Amino acid sequence: MATIDLRLSLALAAGRLAGMLSRWLKVGGGTTLPGVVAARVDGQVLGKLTANLSRGTILVTGTNGKTTTSRILATILKETGWKTVHNRAGANLLSGLTTALLRQSGLGGHPHAEWGLFEVDEAVIPSLVETVSPKAVIITNLFRDQLDRYGEIDYIAGVWRKALKSLPASSTVVLNIDDPAVASLAEGLEARVIGYGVDAPNDHLSHLDHTADSKNCPLCGAELSYTSIQYAHLGSYACLTGHFKRPEPDIAITSISQHGLDSTEIALQGPFGKKQWRIGLPGLYNSYNMLAAVAGAVAVDVPIESIDSAVGELQAAFGRFERIQVENRTLCVVLIKNPVGFTEVMRTILAEKGTLNLAIFINDNLADGTDVSWLWDADIEGLAGRGVHVLVGGTRASDMAVRLKYAGVPLEGIEQVESVKQGIDQGLAQIPEGETLYALPTYTA
């Protein structure tokens, strides 16, 4: 007869009750509080639950793209028929992961799933690697983001490196080798490494721009020389002293064709041979997200047939080029949170023809990052001369308005609103039928 872990059962019961009360009292969505309460009752609840997943745990982290990457991978895993518990709501701290697990577990502590797939905040990777012994860790990229919380990228890279070195040979680390800081994490690992990158030509960039963070060799500090650049500091590079260069990718995108904001056509090459897919996600960065998810699927032995089947079902994650029809108009919601992300979002939107209707909402709450100086590092100068109308709101609306002025947007094209709701309602009312309002909010907005 199986032994019952009474403390674990009490933790799960308490967590579920906390979630019910949170939703009933309308004090939250119940995505984190249940995990907090459960961990107070049993400090080992997360480790115990993940240990009962029959296939194991997959962690996805990085500055940008982890939500979309994990959403794509969840769709792929579903196509295999494997049941997966996934923190789909985006609560990516330990409490959020615990909440996702307890919602899909019996009181005995056995999850109703085979895989645990978790988007993970960059800062908690060390404690998670130690707690859950992941089958695979996927790292998308490393950019400056919320320096008040995370510190400089060298610090985060060091934290990741130490954590990954503790993984055994039975684990797999999936790395974006176009990012020098991420590629360097492969050095000295016992775990298997799968590298992915983009080998498609990019005619838009001929030199590193000011959003690039990794301009020097992560091993010796010498300058990196780039033969091709995708965006920011992602590309093909080599250290001038010969200590380090971009590895050959195990899985690569060999061509990319953008079809506006509707879709992207990509050709890939990997251990599965050659593939060509049309995905319903715009932007070069979403091609990277797709590539990361495919590499993660290969890492856990997903059949290529399941990946093929999943491609046609891909949808934008919450707030990541998410489209919402409002009567005869379209609201397109795109999260912005750091210089590189904002720059690439603008580059994608600016490729659209005609007048652009924007509503930008900047908050400086803890989850957004209290330092909004990153607005000045984003390249939004392309808005000048485009006949744009921009509504600005949020706690730092004035900062955004000043940034737009210095980007060359005429003052008559900038309008400040009192709230997010007012901005959305007003923005949609002002545009003709059939047009799109692009809403660019930070996290809490």
Side-chain angles (χ1 to χ4, degrees):
M1 185 176 180
T3 303
I4 297 176
D5 187 331
L6 184 58
R7 181 178 289 275
L8 176 59
S9 297
L10 288 172
L12 297 177
R16 286 185 178 179
L17 179 59
M20 290 171 58
L21 290 173
S22 174
R23 291 187 291 273
W24 182 60
L25 296 173
K26 297 182 179 179
V27 295
T31 59
T32 58
L33 182 61
V36 172
V37 172
R40 290 285 180 89
V41 178
D42 185 350
Q44 298 179 323
V45 59
L46 181 58
K48 290 178 178 179
L49 291 175
T50 54
N52 287 332
L53 291 163
S54 60
R55 292 187 181 273
T57 301
I58 304 168
L59 305 180
V60 182
T61 196
T63 309
N64 292 339
K66 50 187 176 286
T67 298
T68 301
T69 296
S70 59
R71 184 75 67 94
I72 296 171
L73 185 52
T75 302
I76 292 173
L77 293 175
K78 182 181 178 181
E79 283 298 311
T80 66
W82 293 335
K83 294 181 179 178
T84 305
V85 54
H86 173 212
N87 57 334
R88 188 180 179 88
N92 58 20
L93 298 176
L94 299 183
S95 54
L97 274 61
T98 304
T99 298
L101 278 161
L102 69 83
R103 280 182 171 177
Q104 295 194 39
S105 299
L107 289 179
H110 293 280
H112 308 308
E114 299 162 271
W115 282 110
L117 170 61
F118 303 115
E119 167 197 341
V120 179
D121 184 271
E122 298 96 299
V124 300
I125 277 290
S127 55
L128 264 180
V129 166
E130 182 180 354
T131 301
V132 309
S133 302
K135 186 76 172 177
V137 179
I138 303 169
I139 298 182
T140 60
N141 46 56
L142 183 53
F143 301 123
R144 279 174 291 159
D145 185 42
Q146 300 185 31
L147 298 183
D148 54 310
R149 288 182 61 206
Y150 299 123
E152 293 290 348
I153 63 171
D154 291 342
Y155 169 75
I156 292 295
V159 167
W160 286 351
R161 183 173 290 106
K162 184 177 180 181
L164 296 177
K165 283 188 175 180
S166 69
L167 291 174
S170 56
S171 296
T172 301
V173 176
V174 179
L175 301 175
N176 178 358
I177 52 95
D178 288 356
D179 186 323
V182 173
S184 70
L185 298 175
E187 297 288 323
L189 295 189
E190 183 180 347
R192 179 176 66 142
V193 175
I194 293 179
Y196 68 90
V198 174
D199 282 338
N202 186 349
D203 299 328
H204 299 296
L205 295 175
S206 58
H207 62 276
L208 292 176
D209 61 27
H210 65 276
T211 62
D213 296 317
S214 293
K215 299 180 181 181
N216 299 95
C217 175
L219 300 185
C220 73
E223 184 181 354
L224 290 174
S225 173
Y226 279 77
T227 55
S228 67
I229 302 167
Q230 297 301 331
Y231 71 89
H233 56 255
L234 304 190
S236 183
Y237 50 83
C239 170
L240 291 178
T241 62
H243 286 99
F244 182 65
K245 67 177 182 178
R246 175 187 185 255
E248 285 296 317
D250 299 295
I251 302 173
I253 289 179
T254 55
S255 73
I256 300 175
S257 178
Q258 303 285 349
H259 297 276
L261 296 181
D262 293 322
S263 63
T264 306
E265 194 167 340
I266 58 175
L268 296 88
Q269 188 164 341
F272 43 73
K274 295 181 179 179
K275 288 288 176 180
Q276 188 152 341
W277 293 317
R278 189 160 181 158
I279 60 175
L281 301 170
L284 174 58
Y285 51 92
N286 273 322
S287 296
Y288 269 103
N289 295 335
M290 178 69 192
L291 187 56
V294 170
V298 170
V300 296
D301 300 321
V302 172
I304 188 61
E305 294 78 17
S306 295
I307 302 176
D308 274 327
S309 301
V311 168
E313 298 182 19
L314 299 182
Q315 296 179 344
F318 172 68
R320 277 76 170 178
F321 271 102
E322 181 184 21
R323 296 189 182 195
I324 303 163
Q325 291 301 127
V326 184
E327 296 179 346
N328 295 321
R329 298 166 178 82
T330 300
L331 174 64
C332 183
V333 186
V334 194
L335 173 74
I336 56 172
K337 65 190 186 80
N338 54 43
V340 170
F342 196 1
T343 296
E344 289 308 304
V345 165
M346 290 309 308
R347 183 171 291 150
T348 303
I349 292 175
L350 285 166
E352 294 293 283
K353 297 179 180 179
T355 300
L356 293 178
N357 307 291
L358 301 176
I360 304 177
F361 305 105
I362 306 298
N363 282 354
D364 63 349
N365 298 318
L366 185 62
D368 308 295
T370 56
D371 179 1
V372 296
S373 62
W374 61 271
L375 295 174
W376 294 89
D377 292 330
D379 183 0
I380 63 172
E381 272 61 29
L383 289 171
R386 275 297 304 267
V388 297
H389 182 258
V390 188
L391 298 170
V392 293
T395 58
R396 302 302 286 267
S398 297
D399 297 74
M400 190 65 236
V402 172
R403 176 69 185 94
L404 289 166
K405 173 188 173 183
Y406 278 90
V409 178
L411 290 179
E412 59 269 22
I414 307 169
E415 183 178 356
Q416 193 163 328
V417 294
E418 295 294 326
S419 66
V420 172
K421 184 181 187 304
Q422 180 195 343
I424 296 298
D425 290 344
Q426 184 174 323
L428 288 170
Q430 288 175 345
I431 65 174
E433 290 188 2
E435 290 199 7
T436 298
L437 174 66
Y438 297 97
L440 279 56
T442 55
Y443 272 124
T444 62

